[in-house]
Amino acid sequence: MKPLRKVLASMALVLAGAGCVAPPVVPEHRDAAAEPRMRTLRGDDACPPEFSGTCYPVWYATNRQPLDPPDPAKGFGADFDDQLHFGKRIVRIPSAHRPGELESPLWRRLLLGVDDRITLDAAASLPADAFTRDVRAFLAGLDPNDRNVLVYIHGFNTTFDEATRRAAQLGYDLKVPGITAVYSWPSRGNVSAYLGDLSAIEASEEHIAAFLVRVTALADRGKVHIIAHSMGNRGLLRAMHRATTQAALRTGTRFGQIFLSAPDVDANLFRQLAGVYPQVAERTTLYVADQDKAIAAMEWMSEGGRAGGAPPVLVLPGIDTVRVHGSSLFRLGHSYFAEEPDVLRDIRAQLHYREPPEKRRARYGWPVRDDTPGAKGAWVIGR
């Protein structure tokens, strides 16, 4: 690998990791009747009366070591731990929040005098059995049709706090019919630590599998939906092949919707292993984007294709591939799955209606068939 190639690829990763994308513009709904019905979110009693917004609970599991073992409320660092830690965290989402954003740029906050930053309360650590009771108690208070769990598995260059904020933003913006949970593996949270993160996610496969088995039991008659981003797809893919996961799935348990966003997985390896998804889930959707700078950098450095890259577009039996278009070079970053309104709308439609692309096309006018050469049956959303 030539030094220049490493330097340029690292610059691309820095741009992607820094979130150098224009803030998404949420379009006005042209047809309100075509939007998924909005479930009522249950708030949390811990929300102080002086806070104008929503206190959104996010349950977590992590194999990170606590920053201060006697006081888990201080959060978790980047070191690997052999055991799983469980808990719940309240995430404050202000009333000024805009879909697709963790916070608006500083200049806009200063100009408008509005603080729309999503903030975190301290982590509340729970023993495994208390975690189980807490989740079940919360789900029991929901409508039976809403007793589902959305699990978010983050990508590389992500801290524990960043993963929790993103999980809350996704759950809130998607109006998840149920609760939101995050699995946070020990990413270093540093763009220069790619190889270290790669080792960490591979070492976390067993823990991810154990958590997925646990959470499917908690959902009872509901469904567990999964959003895996970037390098998190490596852990999810291997976890699905673990003997413990396979044994649980043989009891009749199936996942609901699985969303594979910008997978940082070798394309050839993905072809070999991804056949497990149609076997374990009602529907699996692969999101790829032409303008994903981080995936492009990884392909360049490794001199090999990634499942989340385009072109070429990877299309496999039993998996819907959706290609995301942006309006400009800087519109789409590596986190487009959570920031781009068209992608959020597509994921939300699947969570609420569980429809294939053909029916979503008939209902909303999107996605449309990808007619570019070599697309091989993929779908397109965005402009």
Side-chain angles (χ1 to χ4, degrees):
M1 179 80 67
K2 295 181 180 179
L4 178 60
R5 170 172 286 183
K6 287 185 177 180
V7 171
L8 293 176
S10 297
M11 290 174 62
L13 279 174
V14 169
L15 287 173
C20 296
V21 293
V25 177
V26 182
E28 294 293 329
H29 298 324
R30 293 183 295 273
D31 181 3
E35 289 298 309
R37 63 189 183 279
M38 296 295 98
R39 305 257 190 215
T40 300
L41 290 172
R42 176 177 170 180
D44 195 280
D45 294 338
C47 198
E50 67 273 12
F51 176 68
S52 176
T54 299
C55 286
Y56 194 85
V58 173
W59 283 261
Y60 67 80
T62 182
N63 59 314
R64 297 173 182 263
Q65 287 188 15
L67 291 171
D68 182 1
D71 187 6
K74 294 181 180 178
F76 297 85
D79 292 329
F80 183 90
D81 203 336
D82 287 328
Q83 65 174 317
L84 275 174
H85 301 275
F86 300 93
K88 181 172 72 173
R89 202 162 188 187
I90 302 303
V91 185
R92 301 191 188 192
I93 302 177
S95 56
H97 167 72
R98 298 183 359 146
E101 292 186 355
L102 296 175
E103 60 186 50
S104 60
L106 177 60
W107 65 263
R108 193 169 77 195
R109 298 201 302 270
L110 293 175
L111 182 65
L112 300 178
V114 175
D115 190 351
D116 61 356
R117 290 174 292 180
I118 295 177
T119 58
L120 302 166
D121 284 1
S125 180
L126 295 170
D129 56 348
F131 176 87
T132 297
R133 290 194 300 270
D134 197 58
V135 170
R136 283 182 170 159
F138 195 96
L139 289 174
L142 302 179
D143 184 283
N145 294 321
D146 292 349
R147 293 171 187 171
N148 304 293
V149 180
L150 175 69
V151 175
Y152 170 55
I153 305 174
H154 63 79
F156 118 99
N157 184 29
T158 304
T159 66
F160 176 70
D161 284 358
E162 289 168 345
T164 308
R165 291 176 70 214
R166 179 64 80 188
Q169 177 252 311
L170 282 167
Y172 184 83
D173 288 350
L174 294 171
K175 301 297 183 288
V176 171
I179 69 170
T180 301
V182 60
Y183 187 91
S184 186
W185 52 276
S187 164
R188 305 301 297 180
N190 189 318
V191 73
S192 65
Y194 181 83
L195 293 180
D197 276 13
L198 186 59
S199 298
I201 187 63
E202 291 176 350
S204 301
E205 294 165 4
E206 182 178 358
H207 297 84
I208 295 172
F211 178 66
L212 292 177
V213 170
R214 175 182 292 272
V215 81
T216 53
L218 296 180
D220 192 17
R221 291 175 295 174
K223 291 293 184 182
V224 175
H225 309 292
I226 303 172
I227 298 178
H229 178 227
S230 186
M231 195 180 283
N233 280 276
R234 293 178 184 246
L236 176 63
L237 185 58
R238 293 290 193 181
M240 287 298 183
H241 284 269
R242 285 266 174 180
T244 51
T245 310
Q246 291 295 313
L249 294 171
R250 281 195 292 271
T251 65
T253 300
R254 282 174 61 86
F255 294 97
Q257 307 292 317
I258 295 182
F259 304 98
L260 312 175
S261 173
D264 181 13
V265 180
D266 178 82
N268 291 323
L269 179 64
F270 190 83
R271 288 189 185 94
Q272 295 172 26
L273 300 181
V276 69
Y277 287 124
Q279 300 173 28
V280 302
E282 291 179 351
R283 181 163 301 280
T284 303
T285 304
L286 168 64
Y287 288 103
V288 303
D290 300 20
Q291 299 166 7
D292 187 332
K293 297 179 287 295
I295 288 292
M298 289 302 96
E299 290 181 329
W300 194 26
M301 284 200 297
S302 64
E303 299 182 348
R306 287 291 189 272
V313 179
L314 187 61
V315 178
L316 298 175
I319 297 177
D320 298 325
T321 298
V322 177
R323 189 174 186 175
V324 182
H325 285 174
S327 59
S328 70
L329 176 64
F330 297 102
R331 175 64 179 268
L332 294 178
H334 195 45
S335 297
Y336 62 85
F337 75 104
E339 297 173 346
E340 176 64 26
D342 289 326
V343 182
L344 285 170
R345 186 173 61 171
D346 195 54
I347 293 176
R348 192 172 66 185
Q350 294 182 68
L351 287 173
H352 286 264
Y353 290 120
R354 304 180 183 182
E355 292 179 338
E358 295 87 348
K359 288 191 176 181
R360 302 203 302 277
R361 164 70 171 165
R363 183 187 295 270
Y364 309 110
W366 46 261
V368 299
R369 283 288 187 184
D370 190 345
D371 58 3
T372 57
K376 301 175 295 185
W379 297 83
V380 176
I381 59 175
R383 293 166 292 280

